[in-house]
Each structure stands twice: as C-alpha cells, then as structure tokens.
Amino acid sequence: MSAASCLLSEDQFLCSICLDVFTDPVSTPCGHNFCKNCINEHWNSNDQYLCPLCKKVFNTRPELHINTLLTEVVSQFRQEAQQKASSSSSEQQAAKPGEVPCDVCTGTKLKALKSCLVCLTSYCETHLEPHLTKSVLKRHQLMDPVENLEDRMCKKHDKPLELFCKTDHTCVCLLCSVLDHKTHEFVPLKEEYEGKKAELGKTEAEIQEMIQKRRLKIQKIKHSVDLSKEAADREKAEGVQVFTALKESVERSLNELIETIEEKQRTTEKQAEDFIKELEQEISELKKRSSEVEKLSHSEDHLHLLQNFLSLKAAPSTKDWTEVSVRPPSYEGTVAKAVAQLEEKLSKQMKKLIELKRVQQYAVDVTLDPDTAHPDLILSADGKQVNCGDVRKNLPDNPERCSLYHCVLGKQSLSSGRFYFEVQVKEKTKWELGVARESINRKGKITVSPQNGYWTIWLRNGNKYKALAGPAVRLSLKSQPQKVGVFVDYEEGLVSFYDVDAATLIYSFTGCSFTEKLYPYFNPCLNDGGINSAPLIICPVNQTV
C-alpha cells in the first residue's frame, strides 16, 4: 500500500468540494469520489442530484457507500505526510524577505508551508501538523502559502473563491454559484486562469512588439540627432571657413585703406619737406647777400663800393613763392570708396558660394565601373577610389574596358537633366577629370577633346592646369584645388569645373551638343615611382552654405 501511495500525488487525495484530503471517501455512480459529508451537503443545498465534477444528473438520490480501498490509501497517505512533516521539521528556516511567514510563530517567524482558507492563517511545518492529524481540521482547505488570505474568501458567504463567473467576470464561491449567480455560466478558477494566462502571453507579446517598435523609433530619433549634429558640425566648419575668408577680406581692405591714407600723407610730407629745403637754401643765400651788402655799406673805399654796388644791388636769383603752398590731401570719400569696394568683393564671393550651392543640389552618388577600368588601375572595394598600380592585372578585354589610357568611367550615366559630383585630387601631381560620351574610342590612341567625346581638365607637373578644349586652354589658378566639382547641364550643353574649397569656377565648356549618354571620367595617371601614388577619391557632397 505504501509503494502504491508513493506513486500518487497529493492532488489525487483531495476532495474537489472541500479541497482537503478525503474524510470518509464515497463514490458516486459516475465514478467520482468525495468526502461523504461534502457530497451530502452539496445535494442538500441543491434542487438536483448532480455530480459536482462531470455534472451528471441522477433522477433519484444515489445511495452512497464508503470506498474502503480509497480510505486505506488516504490513511496511508496521511501517515506518510505526518512522517515527512516530522522528519523535515528540523530543517525549517526563518522566513526571508518576500516569503510568507507563519502567522502562529512568536519571536522568529518561520517560513510558512501552507495557508488555510478556513482559518485564514499561514502555518509553518510545526504549526501545520494539527491540520494534518485532527479530524476537525482535516476538512479545512489548504493551499500553498500566500499573503492576504482574506482576499481569497467570499466576503458574503465566507467560503473560498473557487469558481469564475463568466457572466459577471468575477471570482465566486460554491454558494454564490447556487444562490446569487444561479443562472450564470461558471468555470473552475484554474480553467479561467489558463485562458487569461494565454491572453496575458499574447498581451505580453504585443507589448514587447510595441516596446521594440519604440526602441527602433528611439534609434531613428538618435540617428536623426546624429545626422543633425554632423550637419551642424559641417555647417559650423564651413561657416568658419567662409567667415574667415570674409574676415581676411575685410582686414585686407582695411589695410589697403590705411595704406592709401598713409601714402597720401607721406606724399604731402615729402612735398612740404622739398619746399622747406628749397626755402631754407634760398634763405641761406639771402643771408649771405645781406652780409655782403652790410659789409659794403660800411666800406670807406669809394672805388670798391662803386665797383661792387651794381652786383649787390641786383635782385637775387630766387623763386617766386607767392602762389606756392602745401595743400592737405582730401580724404573725403576714401572710407566710403573702400567700403564700396569691399562690398563688391563680398558680393562676388557670395555669388561664387551661391553658384556652387546651386550646382551642388544636383549631386549624384557616383561609383567607379570596374568593367571599364584599365588593367593597371586599382579600384577600392566601395568603388570610390582609384590609383595606378605597378602590375598589370590579367583582365578580360571586354568592349567597355579602356585599354590604352589609364582611365575608368563611372557606373552612373546622364542622358538628360543635370548632375554633379566631387573628386579629391589632394597630393597628386597628375590627374584628369570630366565626362565622356558612351561611344568614345576605348581601345585606340586619340586626342582627348570635345570633338572626340571628352570634356575634361587636367593637371601636369604639379602646377600646370589645362582645359582639353581642342586646342587646350591654359588655366591660371590662384591656388591648387584640393577637391574638384564637376557639373553637367545636358540640355544647356554645359560642363563646368569648380574649386570646391575656394568656391570658384575653374573652367566651363559651353555650347556643347550632347546626343548620347555621358559618363563621369577619371584618369589618375601613372604613379611616377610613388610621386603620384595618391588616389582620386569620389567624395560625398556637402552643401557649401
């Protein structure tokens, strides 16, 4: 009997009405077991004789007999439970934070093992023993320890809340189901619990999805902030560059103004010095004449006075200073003129910036086409950089590939509208940039010119720039471009090149007639033993202002 009881769980020895271990278990004709007193009270309080579990209705009240086999098994189970409680009593521990303490313990509160829904009290193993041994207490309903036991009891009937009323959506006791909620639909708490738990699982999944969406939104917002910061930093850097140039222009104009004023003053001072020097010279001569006249006037020698009288009487050789004067230069309008000139310079500078900004709005994302690259060229994995290597690669000589000149075309083409891209040429001594039409001769030797389908400019020897206009046009640049912008207006027939940092126009091909696709054209030229090894780099376009 002991071995058999060990295979059974505690739930199998509980009456489904009182939820306690069976006392005098009886069996109904439908095969279900209940405490004898529990089933009799149940039938006494109902109009029908039905099984509380399967709801089978009996026309007449069944005659109940004690289930002797179940009684034996229950008895054995009680004994084993008591032995187990006794052997484990020494292992009891004080209740930790978050655990339910025993309500009976004084001093140190031990951890509760069970809670009684009848007594509304939680018991440790020691204080639970009467509920396992005394017949009166055995009928009480025990459950895993919980706090606030009074919340689990029906306020009206003082019975455990065992059922869920689906009509009123509330937890009720057995008496509620036959009195106040007689016509309502009920399910066991466990069944409703499982359903609601499934709903909570679905709700939790929905909440997690909402959380994930909001996290993604946070990422997007943070990304937008990062983009904004990058744009702000870019604008600040460009603003510093522009206003530094403007400041330098103002300082140059101020220095020129001061130099103009000082030059006028120096000229006036020089004129005055020259006049004074000449006057002092004449004064010196006149003093000498005065001395000679005075000396002669005191002479007693009649002959000597008469012989020298005429020469001393004659007017000295001096300049007529009557109309001579030093007129202070007029400074009126000097500042206004300087300001006007500065305004003109600033206006031209702003026009340059606005013009560059206008073409930059047509920026396209250009990448290099490896199928068109000369075998000596080395292209980066992202298709944004190209330089010339020392070893020729063994590549298929497809029709698109340039096999004579060290050039490569972009993947993107233009057959209408406008487009713009920028290329870094920093640290290079040779390069060639522009656009080429689709039908260019990619295999043979030709002259690079618009007549042959090329609209390009180049650098040679580190400082010689030309527009290959056929014949070539020499370009005089104030500074060496570090980044070159290329703009094409297909319908206008225009190809323009800009020094991006200086915001100045380098050269424009005008009046062009385009009849087929145009491709960006790049030629990094030979690396000259490492002197020209820097790559041409296609750069992202940042609005200048």
Side-chain angles (χ1 to χ4, degrees):
M1 182 68 69
S2 176
S5 65
C6 290
L7 298 176
L8 299 174
S9 67
E10 181 179 354
D11 291 343
Q12 293 172 288
F13 298 106
L14 299 180
C15 170
S16 60
I17 297 177
C18 67
L19 300 179
D20 200 354
V21 178
F22 288 119
T23 300
D24 299 331
V26 295
S27 301
T28 60
C30 56
H32 294 115
N33 302 306
F34 306 95
C35 295
K36 182 178 181 181
N37 190 53
C38 290
I39 189 64
N40 281 327
E41 286 186 0
H42 180 69
W43 283 341
N44 291 338
S45 61
N46 284 277
D47 297 335
Q48 292 180 315
Y49 305 123
L50 54 82
C51 175
L53 287 178
C54 67
K55 308 301 182 183
K56 180 177 178 60
V57 179
F58 305 106
N59 295 328
T60 59
R61 183 164 181 159
E63 186 178 352
L64 299 174
H65 300 282
I66 299 296
N67 187 327
T68 55
L69 177 60
L70 183 57
T71 300
E72 258 185 71
V73 173
V74 169
S75 176
Q76 181 66 28
F77 175 77
R78 288 182 185 279
Q79 292 177 7
E80 291 179 357
Q82 291 174 1
Q83 292 173 0
K84 182 178 179 182
S86 176
S87 62
S88 62
S89 60
S90 60
E91 301 176 2
Q92 295 183 72
Q93 298 178 349
K96 299 177 182 178
E99 294 180 336
V100 180
C102 175
D103 294 326
V104 182
C105 287
T106 57
T108 301
K109 295 283 187 178
L110 298 181
K111 177 183 175 181
L113 182 65
K114 292 288 182 181
S115 294
C116 177
L117 293 176
V118 178
C119 303
L120 299 181
T121 305
S122 296
Y123 300 100
C124 64
E125 289 189 37
T126 302
H127 295 120
L128 179 65
E129 185 177 357
H131 278 74
L132 301 177
T133 57
K134 294 185 178 181
S135 58
V136 176
L137 297 177
K138 288 179 183 179
R139 300 173 57 81
H140 290 188
Q141 184 176 347
L142 299 176
M143 61 179 298
D144 289 336
V146 292
E147 294 181 324
N148 303 321
L149 284 167
E150 60 274 5
D151 294 339
R152 297 177 175 270
M153 302 296 291
C154 176
K155 304 282 190 231
K156 187 173 183 179
H157 303 112
D158 202 27
K159 296 288 184 182
L161 299 173
E162 305 177 67
L163 302 173
F164 183 80
C165 177
K166 297 181 73 68
T167 306
D168 291 343
H169 299 284
T170 185
C171 298
V172 297
C173 67
L174 286 174
L175 287 179
C176 288
S177 66
V178 297
L179 297 175
D180 303 334
H181 301 258
K182 186 174 182 180
T183 60
H184 294 179
E185 180 183 358
F186 301 95
V187 293
L189 286 182
K190 185 176 181 180
E191 180 179 333
E192 185 65 18
Y193 161 83
E194 296 295 340
K196 289 296 187 287
K197 189 175 182 181
E199 288 183 22
L200 287 176
K202 183 179 179 182
T203 301
E204 173 64 13
E206 292 173 351
I207 291 173
Q208 289 301 323
E209 183 180 357
M210 293 171 68
I211 291 172
Q212 185 61 22
K213 286 181 179 179
R214 281 149 181 79
R215 284 177 176 165
L216 291 174
K217 180 60 70 174
I218 289 173
Q219 291 178 359
K220 287 182 179 179
I221 292 173
K222 287 183 177 179
H223 181 61
S224 296
V225 172
D226 291 339
L227 292 178
S228 175
K229 186 178 185 303
E230 290 174 6
D233 291 342
R234 194 163 55 242
E235 286 297 307
K236 286 191 290 186
E238 292 169 354
V240 169
Q241 180 182 352
V242 170
F243 279 91
T244 298
L246 295 178
K247 179 182 176 183
E248 290 173 354
S249 261
V250 172
E251 289 177 348
R252 281 195 301 270
S253 295
L254 176 60
N255 292 334
E256 289 171 3
L257 171 64
I258 293 173
E259 179 62 27
T260 299
I261 295 172
E262 290 179 347
E263 179 61 29
K264 286 185 177 182
Q265 178 63 18
R266 284 195 296 269
T267 301
T268 301
E269 290 176 355
K270 178 67 168 59
Q271 185 185 38
E273 286 175 2
D274 291 343
F275 286 160
I276 292 170
K277 185 177 180 181
E278 190 175 351
L279 286 167
E280 287 178 345
Q281 181 66 33
E282 288 189 1
I283 290 171
S284 178
E285 292 295 331
L286 289 171
K287 283 183 176 181
K288 182 178 178 182
R289 174 66 67 90
S290 174
S291 177
E292 289 176 352
V293 169
E294 183 181 3
K295 183 178 179 182
L296 183 62
S297 65
H298 289 90
S299 175
E300 297 293 335
D301 187 344
H302 302 161
L303 180 63
H304 176 70
L305 186 147
L306 293 174
Q307 288 178 336
N308 291 283
F309 176 79
L310 292 177
S311 61
L312 293 177
K313 174 67 176 176
S317 177
T318 57
K319 183 176 181 179
D320 183 5
W321 292 93
T322 306
E323 302 298 330
V324 175
S325 65
V326 175
R327 293 183 178 86
S330 174
Y331 298 106
E332 185 177 354
T334 305
V335 175
K337 183 180 178 181
V339 171
Q341 291 175 344
L342 177 59
E343 287 179 347
E344 185 178 356
K345 289 180 183 178
L346 296 181
S347 177
K348 289 180 179 179
Q349 182 69 15
M350 289 306 299
K351 286 180 180 178
K352 291 177 183 178
L353 294 173
I354 292 170
E355 170 62 19
L356 183 56
K357 178 183 177 182
R358 182 186 70 81
V359 300
Q360 283 179 329
Q361 66 180 314
Y362 299 106
V364 294
D365 184 15
V366 173
T367 51
L368 303 171
D369 186 354
D371 291 337
T372 68
H374 186 280
D376 288 353
L377 297 183
I378 301 172
L379 275 64
S380 62
D382 61 359
K384 296 294 185 180
Q385 300 186 30
V386 58
N387 65 313
C388 191
D390 295 323
V391 179
R392 177 161 298 193
K393 296 187 288 295
N394 185 18
L395 299 174
D397 189 20
N398 50 286
E400 298 85 6
R401 191 175 305 285
C402 301
S403 58
L404 183 61
Y405 295 104
H406 292 83
C407 60
V408 58
L409 302 181
K411 289 182 179 180
Q412 294 70 24
S413 65
L414 178 75
S415 57
S416 65
R418 304 175 178 90
F419 76 81
Y420 173 86
F421 61 94
E422 293 178 354
V423 183
Q424 179 179 301
V425 296
K426 185 178 180 181
E427 298 179 356
K428 292 193 67 62
T429 58
K430 296 179 181 179
W431 52 261
E432 186 177 342
L433 289 173
V435 293
R437 67 188 179 204
E438 187 174 28
S439 63
I440 57 171
N441 183 353
R442 309 186 188 201
K443 306 298 180 183
K445 185 174 182 179
I446 61 166
T447 300
V448 176
S449 67
Q451 291 77 13
N452 293 322
Y454 297 85
W455 292 265
T456 64
I457 62 173
W458 78 5
L459 166 68
R460 292 292 186 271
N461 301 325
N463 59 3
K464 295 180 179 179
Y465 296 89
K466 286 184 179 182
L468 305 183
V473 178
R474 186 172 181 178
L475 304 175
S476 297
L477 305 182
K478 292 183 178 179
S479 61
Q480 290 188 321
Q482 303 297 299
K483 189 186 295 183
V484 175
V486 183
F487 172 70
V488 177
D489 187 326
Y490 196 93
E491 282 75 22
E492 188 70 21
L494 175 69
V495 180
S496 296
F497 298 84
Y498 293 88
D499 181 338
V500 176
D501 296 324
T504 56
L505 177 67
I506 297 175
Y507 185 80
S508 286
F509 292 91
T510 58
C512 309
S513 179
F514 303 129
T515 57
E516 54 184 281
K517 290 181 179 179
L518 298 179
Y519 289 85
Y521 172 90
F522 309 85
N523 186 342
C525 300
L526 294 172
N527 63 20
D528 290 342
I531 297 176
N532 190 43
S533 61
L536 292 175
I537 303 175
I538 302 171
C539 305
V541 176
N542 298 324
Q543 293 291 310
T544 303
V545 291

